[in-house]
Amino acid sequence: MVVARFSGNNRIYLNQGDLVFKNKGGTFGHTKHTIHDLHLADMNHDGFLDIIVAYHKGRNEIWLNDQSAKFKEVHHFGHVLSPSYHMEVGDLNKDGFLDVVEVNAKGHKNWMYLSKGAKLHYDAVGFSHPNVDSRAVEVADLNYDGNPDILIGNYKELNQVFYLNEKAEFIDTLFFGGSNEKTSDISVVDMNNEGKLDILCAHMGTANSIFFGTDTHKKFIRQDLNEHVFNTSAILGLDLNGDGLMDIAETNLNHRNVYYTQDTLPIKKVPEGLKIIGK
């Protein structure tokens, strides 16, 4: 388990069995920088998980696992003053190495960092307008062409899907959501077991949403989770009760966190042809 703190040392707790965790992995990162996001992935192809860190201020980092859960070697990427909110990893250009996407606050572009191999050198590709305030990112193949695409959740701007080809070049863009919504997180999952990817959106101060996939990647059908309205910071689709159906868990600021099993999803109207299983 990796714990990132707003201040103080970030810590690694190793599972000793029976859910007993001890801080035998030590610390990583900088005590003066606020971490907004982190991911675990094998960035250098040595078979061990590394830590990728997005800072609110300061260059983002990759901390390499020395194969004993110690993290001493660090590689930097990104711009010094870019206030990163979220990031995601995936093989965007299909070369067998993981790339990184970071989204930044208003005044800064979002960036793709395309890996040039196991030595962690990257080509930086900026995208989206710097006046857009981006808060969330996800990588998923939404048009089913075998190439990962990039979803961006924006704050008081329309959300975006950037469709990529096998070289990580932009080939199309889709806007979705509301221009005044404050999207804080995005998750991609097949909510209704129809074989199409759906988009979960968490919002600050307005209802969270599901955008159901259709037969075309240019159209999604929106349904709001409108029983309660919170300041939701994160949303995730997963099978909580083992019934084979996707449920939803969300974390909220200044309120208890909430989960919905599929038979309790607070959707007032289900679109024709889009059955919510268990509803």
Side-chain angles (χ1 to χ4, degrees), residues 159 176 183 185-187 199-203 207-211 235:
N159 299 324
F176 69 98
T183 301
D185 194 29
I186 285 180
S187 183
I199 305 171
L200 305 180
C201 285
H203 300 127
N208 298 328
S209 305
I210 305 175
F211 291 83
I235 193 167

Side-chain angles (χ1 to χ4, degrees), residues 260-273:
Y260 304 100
T261 55
Q262 178 112 180
D263 60 339
T264 63
L265 287 177
I267 296 177
K268 288 185 177 179
K269 181 181 179 182
V270 179
E272 182 179 356

Side-chain angles (χ1 to χ4, degrees), residues 5-267:
R5 299 180 175 180
F6 280 116
S7 61
N9 289 321
N10 307 305
R11 297 188 178 276
I12 300 162
Y13 295 89
L14 301 182
N15 192 342
Q16 308 300 300
D18 297 325
L19 297 181
V20 176
F21 293 87
K22 292 186 178 181
N23 180 222
K24 291 187 176 181
T27 62
F28 68 96
H30 300 286
T31 58
K32 295 182 179 180
H33 295 329
T34 298
I35 293 179
H36 268 181
D37 196 18
L38 67 80
H39 282 268
L40 300 177
D42 182 8
M43 300 300 292
N44 59 350
H45 278 212
D46 66 352
F48 291 83
L49 292 175
D50 309 306
I51 302 174
I52 309 97
V53 178
Y55 288 112
H56 180 60
K57 290 185 179 179
R59 297 189 70 193
N60 297 329
E61 297 172 334
I62 299 171
W63 290 82
L64 294 182
N65 191 334
D66 69 355
Q67 303 186 12
S68 66
K70 302 291 184 182
F71 298 82
K72 298 179 181 179
E73 181 181 348
V74 60
H75 292 255
H76 297 85
F77 67 95
H79 298 273
V80 174
L81 297 179
S82 291
S84 298
Y85 275 102
H86 274 210
M87 64 183 173
E88 190 58 75
V89 298
D91 186 6
L92 299 177
N93 56 2
K94 310 296 286 293
D95 66 350
F97 293 93
L98 291 175
D99 312 304
V100 183
V101 184
E102 70 172 31
V103 294
N104 298 304
K106 190 173 184 178
H108 302 266
K109 287 185 176 181
N110 300 324
W111 292 87
M112 289 191 301
Y113 297 95
L114 302 178
S115 175
K116 299 169 70 174
K119 293 185 179 180
L120 303 183
H121 297 294
Y122 295 90
D123 288 328
V125 180
F127 66 99
S128 74
H129 197 284
N131 287 335
V132 174
D133 194 357
S134 297
R135 300 295 178 93
V137 60
E138 184 64 273
V139 172
D141 182 10
L142 284 181
N143 58 354
Y144 313 106
D145 64 351
N147 303 312
D149 307 306
I150 300 174
L151 296 84
I152 303 294
N154 295 315
Y155 195 84
K156 301 183 77 171
E157 296 277 355
L158 290 172
N159 299 324
Q160 298 162 286
V161 179
F162 293 93
Y163 293 103
L164 306 179
N165 63 16
E166 69 278 1
K167 297 180 180 179
E169 298 168 335
F170 298 100
I171 59 173
D172 203 356
T173 305
L174 172 72
F175 294 89
F176 69 98
S179 59
N180 289 318
E181 288 179 323
K182 303 172 183 178
T183 301
S184 55
D185 194 29
I186 285 180
S187 183
V188 177
V189 66
D190 181 5
M191 284 299 300
N192 49 5
N193 285 358
E194 289 195 341
K196 300 180 181 67
L197 292 176
D198 310 311
I199 305 171
L200 305 180
C201 285
H203 300 127
M204 292 283 182
T206 56
N208 298 328
S209 305
I210 305 175
F211 291 83
F212 289 101
T214 66
D215 291 331
T216 170
H217 68 278
K218 298 293 289 185
K219 180 181 179 181
F220 290 82
I221 298 177
R222 175 175 181 158
Q223 288 293 295
D224 288 342
L225 302 175
N226 44 27
E227 183 178 31
H228 304 289
V229 174
F230 304 120
N231 290 316
T232 302
S233 58
I235 193 167
L236 185 65
L238 69 170
D239 184 4
L240 291 171
N241 54 2
D243 63 356
L245 307 175
M246 287 296 143
D247 311 305
I248 293 178
E250 62 183 48
T251 60
N252 301 302
L253 301 179
N254 302 316
H255 192 278
R256 296 182 68 181
N257 302 322
V258 176
Y259 69 88
Y260 304 100
T261 55
Q262 178 112 180
D263 60 339
T264 63
L265 287 177
I267 296 177

